[in-house]
């Protein structure tokens, strides 16, 4: 007899099944006990007699054979009358660090200290089921649009943006860095003939802040595509991608979204508003001053509220960032060279994407490096691609954990990370 | 008019199309020129007149509009009579570092120094198209079997195998390491309720050898599953997975396999042979002595030849490795405690997988750490999972580049890596 998953046993009414999982709850009535078994797919009630229930403890791992019957009082209206069971994973504890079967709010740091225990709670695990489907939707959509998935090195010799905020690695006899982003490499792979690429990989930021929205190691969903007209092609792509993603999640993660009590935003058309206009609106409507050439975190929240009110959109593209606020490779407007063909995407008050068109002309890029105080010879490995027919191109990156956090309406990015890394945390 | 990919233009005979790509070849006949355009999907002949061909150079990026007609002499029997064309990516070079349009064997180091140029050659890019489909097959098969894809940290506080051969990272005020494998974390995620997990991510080895089969940063296809019977479940899974992979590749990568002139092995049943027996066979049949409790590289090659001859299999599982040659978490046989429930998978003379059943009993694992001279308190974050009902489990890992190299019959693992990292190479 093969193993049945809990979510499937409704198909086996009156039949014998084998299920496997953990003891989620024990309701001991003396002569019998109702034990809730939890597997990857859900919860089911087991009925055990006096002898069978002996020695059972919460969170033990069991293999169980029994017959499925209806019980309207049980979860899902089903129960399994146990014929045989075996403890395959023993309990070696005095006391659980916190309850797994109740949704009491354990302090996040405590949850993270005992990560493999806290993740056993279906509500705490749900965001990761959604996260996996975010990645699946991202990948499937892009592959359908002829993008290639690439894997580029995370150990690099020099930074994409000058080398600040990077972790250093001792690499044999030399010093190397952990990549902040695959920016240069994804552009290079466009030029290498892949034309359209994406990467799902770790990115590293040695940033000195410990906030609810920062991680020092995170998963970046990176996209880059060649032969574009301008930055609007990039925003069009991201908009379609997000629409697909939301549709996919509504279809695949109904149960998890319900468990979390959240619903996903609908996307019609994402407004594209110039940064400068956003700054003026904030000043006019909210008396909110913004830093030069940018919005701050508070400004992002306020402006999101404004866009929600005015355009009924949870998303907004901020466009035309000034050259001074963007990396060296960002394409400026020919007719207005102090502004760039770049954008941020704000979702419910949080920046989840930076993107734009890149400079593809070799001389212009080299010139821009000098303007930025960089030495072109330090970037020969990157510049070389631009000498051999680099088409107009651009791309964007989405922070996976940020997107997960916002979709799931979590309060802290660490809740969207299996094993977060921050300034103070490097274990488990 | 939307862009057509070269592979699709056969559907547009007699019609106008827009194509985009790079100048692959120029055959100048004076009054007209035949120019081969290369895009992500293939090659097509363009016909340009005297004026149109002016200034065209190899590897420029073009956008072209023209009408598709038949020409039996052209590649694929089609050509495009160009009406309009635009250079969108200029040439800024005196001379190409090597030819892109001929399959002359450029020295590998030269190829790697100019990686974005060498990858433009369809034959050099082909292994990466195959590699992407290896990953796709791996992921699709496992998701179909209810596995979850996870992302675990690569910055870690202590090694899975004692800390040798790890790269060190300066992590704020402390020292951290780059993960050699997600071993501990994948086990922990099994225990955290995911039950069956896989990860496609980077692994780092600070090994001091620069060979044709080693990389210091590589992509590891990691698998771990709970509620198993024993190590045979793991081998069964890997065998089915490989069968699926080969079937998938034969279907999706016909063109690339042909371009490389290779065919993939057929898998019936992969022989499972005890290591000790393999050592004896090598001694008896080839007078080949093996190191204690292992095979060396030459032994793997010889034994593969033996298995091919005797079992008509390109793959062989070597089983029952001694405790002394396996990591601390490896499950020993109860009835023969000096041997473990572990295996290697050898494919055409090269080890591509290590796997096995792990110890799931808390006391046994702690005990084993002491036997191995490790301090259990250093591994509290890992051991904790085993105190709360850890089911029998095991898994394996496949080196993606090694598998790609062997499937594509490449000579060097760097040919299966977009941007390899080795002792001497950290750029591009």
């Amino acid at each position: 007899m093969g193993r049945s998953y809990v979510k499937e046993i409704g198909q086996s009414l009156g039949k014998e099944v084998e299920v496997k999982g953990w003891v989620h709850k024990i309701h001991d009535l003396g002569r019998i006990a109702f034990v809730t078994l939890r597997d990857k797919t859900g919860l089911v009630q087991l009925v055990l007699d006096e002898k069978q229930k002996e020695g059972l403890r919460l969170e033990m791992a069991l293999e169980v054979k029994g017959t499925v019957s209806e019980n309207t009082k049980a979860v899902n209206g089903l129960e399994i009358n146990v014929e045989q069971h075996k403890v395959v994973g023993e309990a070696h504890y005095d006391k659980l660090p916190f309850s797994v079967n109740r949704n009491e709010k354990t302090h996040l740091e405590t949850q993270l200290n005992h990560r493999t225990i806290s993740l056993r709670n279906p509500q705490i695990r749900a965001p990761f089921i959604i996260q996996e489907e975010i990645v699946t939707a991202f990948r499937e959509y892009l592959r359908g649009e002829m993008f290639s998935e690439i894997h580029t090195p995370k150990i690099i010799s020099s930074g994409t943006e000058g080398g600040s905020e990077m972790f250093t690695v001792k690499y044999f006899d030399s010093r190397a860095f952990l990549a902040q982003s695959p920016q240069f490499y994804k552009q290079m792979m466009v030029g290498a003939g892949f034309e359209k690429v994406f990467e799902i990989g770790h990115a590293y930021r040695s940033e000195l802040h410990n906030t609810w929205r920062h991680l020092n190691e995170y998963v970046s969903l990176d996209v880059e595509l060649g032969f574009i007209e301008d930055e609007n092609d990039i925003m069009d792509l991201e908009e379609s991608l997000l629409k697909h993603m939301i549709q996919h999640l509504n279809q695949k993660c109904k149960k998890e979204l319900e468990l979390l009590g959240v619903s996903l935003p609908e996307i019609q058309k994402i407004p594209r508003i110039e940064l400068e206009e956003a700054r003026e609106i904030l000043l006019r409507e909210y008396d909110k001053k913004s830093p030069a050439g940018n919005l701050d975190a508070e400004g992002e929240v306020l402006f999101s509220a404004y866009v929600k009110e005015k355009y009924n959109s949870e998303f907004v593209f901020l466009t035309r960032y000034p050259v001074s606020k963007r990396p060296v490779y960002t394409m400026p407007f020919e007719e207005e060279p102090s502004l760039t063909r770049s954008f941020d995407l704000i979702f419910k008050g949080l920046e989840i994407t930076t993107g734009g068109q890149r400079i593809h002309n070799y001389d212009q890029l080299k010139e821009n490096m000098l303007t930025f105080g960089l030495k072109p010879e330090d970037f020969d490995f990157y510049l070389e691609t631009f000498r051999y027919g680099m088409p107009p191109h651009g791309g964007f990156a989405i922070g996976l954990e940020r997107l997960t956090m916002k979709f799931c309406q979590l309060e802290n990015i660490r809740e969207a990370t299996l094993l977060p890394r921050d300034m103070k945390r490097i274990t488990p």
Side-chain angles (χ1 to χ4, degrees), chain A:
Chain A
M1 177 171 43
R3 174 205 183 160
S4 299
Y5 288 98
V6 161
K7 70 168 183 182
E8 307 162 341
I9 62 160
Q11 300 155 20
S12 301
L13 208 60
K15 290 186 195 146
E16 205 194 22
V17 293
E18 182 180 16
V19 290
K20 303 180 178 190
W22 287 269
V23 175
H24 187 66
K25 213 178 264 185
I26 302 176
H27 186 44
D28 194 338
L29 299 176
R31 292 273 175 88
I32 60 164
F34 294 119
V35 168
T36 308
L37 187 82
R38 184 189 68 242
D39 80 1
K40 186 182 172 104
T41 69
L43 303 172
V44 67
Q45 179 163 296
L46 308 177
V47 187
L48 292 103
D49 66 26
E50 216 164 350
K51 200 168 153 50
Q52 288 172 325
K53 75 177 189 191
E54 253 174 48
L56 277 196
R57 297 185 66 199
L58 290 176
E59 297 306 320
M60 278 178 161
L62 300 185
E63 293 182 2
V64 177
K65 285 180 187 170
T67 306
V68 183
S69 62
E70 279 182 305
N71 177 348
T72 49
K73 286 183 202 158
V75 60
N76 302 326
L78 296 168
E79 63 185 17
I80 296 175
N81 292 285
V82 174
E83 280 134 35
Q84 252 183 292
H85 77 290
K86 191 165 76 170
V87 175
V88 294
E90 313 251 2
H92 298 260
Y93 65 85
D94 295 326
K95 197 171 166 301
L96 291 171
F98 40 74
S99 166
V100 172
N101 62 27
R102 270 173 297 167
N103 286 327
E104 56 192 26
K105 197 76 185 170
T106 307
H107 191 277
L108 181 57
E109 288 299 310
T110 310
Q111 282 186 36
L112 296 175
N113 287 339
H114 307 278
R115 195 52 166 154
T116 56
I117 315 307
S118 58
L119 284 167
R120 294 182 178 200
N121 180 312
Q123 198 159 3
I124 293 176
R125 199 163 71 247
F128 299 99
I129 298 170
I130 292 169
Q131 186 168 74
E132 184 177 356
E133 295 304 328
I134 290 174
V135 173
T136 300
F138 175 81
R139 180 185 292 117
E140 282 181 0
Y141 183 81
L142 292 173
R143 278 176 54 94
E145 296 288 320
M146 298 278 293
F147 283 74
S148 300
E149 185 166 6
I150 56 171
H151 306 278
T152 67
K154 303 308 160 205
I155 297 184
I156 58 170
S157 60
S158 58
T160 52
E161 283 152 50
S164 69
E165 300 192 328
M166 293 209 294
F167 290 111
T168 55
V169 181
K170 192 174 172 307
Y171 194 76
F172 300 107
D173 293 329
S174 63
R175 194 176 71 141
F177 303 96
L178 292 181
Q180 284 178 308
S181 102
Q183 181 61 39
F184 284 1
Y185 292 139
K186 65 180 183 171
Q187 290 183 257
M188 286 162 67
M189 290 304 124
V190 166
F194 290 96
E195 294 189 28
K196 298 165 126 189
V197 298
F198 68 95
E199 179 162 7
I200 298 161
H202 280 110
Y204 299 90
R205 304 272 162 121
S206 173
E207 292 174 322
L208 284 166
H209 24 69
N210 229 3
T211 79
W212 58 274
R213 65 186 190 280
H214 287 94
L215 290 169
N216 295 105
E217 180 184 50
Y218 69 98
V219 175
S220 182
L221 306 177
D222 263 278
V223 176
E224 196 79 13
L225 66 155
F227 296 105
I228 60 169
E229 204 54 54
D230 59 32
E231 76 281 12
N232 286 298
D233 287 355
I234 313 287
M235 287 186 272
D236 291 348
L237 174 70
E238 186 168 12
E239 190 173 297
S240 306
L241 171 62
L242 287 169
K243 279 183 194 173
H244 170 80
M245 201 177 266
I246 288 168
Q247 198 175 19
H248 178 92
L249 293 178
N250 279 327
Q251 204 182 329
K252 301 279 177 182
C253 299
K254 208 167 170 300
K255 194 178 118 192
E256 289 74 23
L257 293 167
E258 272 171 22
L259 192 60
L260 294 170
V262 300
S263 59
L264 299 176
E266 276 181 44
I267 298 183
Q268 304 298 333
K269 178 80 192 152
I270 301 180
R272 298 175 189 185
I273 298 173
E274 295 184 22
L275 173 72
E276 199 44 43
E277 196 189 327
R279 289 160 46 85
E280 281 163 20
I281 290 168
L282 284 174
L283 193 61
R284 194 178 64 221
E285 303 280 327
Y286 302 92
D287 198 27
K288 161 73 188 168
K289 281 178 196 149
S290 299
N294 214 343
L295 301 191
D296 58 18
E298 190 200 19
E300 289 175 353
V301 172
L302 286 174
F303 194 67
S304 265
Y306 172 84
V307 169
K308 173 74 182 149
E309 177 70 27
K310 174 131 187 197
Y311 298 94
N312 192 29
S313 173
E314 303 277 10
F315 293 88
V316 56
F317 282 117
L318 293 176
T319 64
R320 299 170 78 92
Y321 276 74
V323 165
S324 59
K325 294 289 165 187
R326 290 284 157 155
V328 64
Y329 49 78
T330 314
M331 179 71 100
F333 284 94
E334 224 175 321
E335 64 283 9
E336 208 168 342
S338 68
L339 298 179
T340 63
R341 295 184 177 278
S342 68
F343 61 86
D344 273 8
L345 178 63
I346 314 292
F347 173 35
K348 290 191 177 174
L350 184 68
E351 178 221 305
I352 57 160
T353 286
T354 295
Q357 183 172 356
R358 330 296 186 183
I359 296 171
H360 61 278
N361 180 281
Y362 175 71
D363 292 327
Q364 188 184 357
L365 184 55
K366 212 168 145 181
E367 197 61 44
N368 217 37
M369 285 185 170
L370 294 170
T371 309
F372 271 65
L374 299 171
K375 291 183 196 150
E377 57 270 31
D378 289 350
F379 300 95
D380 266 349
F381 73 93
Y382 168 63
L383 276 171
E384 186 187 43
T385 316
F386 296 79
R387 293 173 56 200
Y388 302 93
M390 188 67 171
H393 66 286
F396 61 89
I398 304 177
L400 174 61
E401 295 85 351
R402 284 194 170 192
L403 188 60
T404 310
M405 168 172 62
K406 281 296 171 181
F407 276 157
C408 296
Q409 297 180 25
L410 306 172
E411 282 169 19
N412 193 306
I413 197 163
R414 290 161 187 77
E415 297 173 70
T417 317
L418 286 176
L419 299 155
R421 292 294 177 254
D422 64 34
M423 280 183 68
K424 293 184 182 163
R425 179 176 291 283
I426 196 170
T427 52

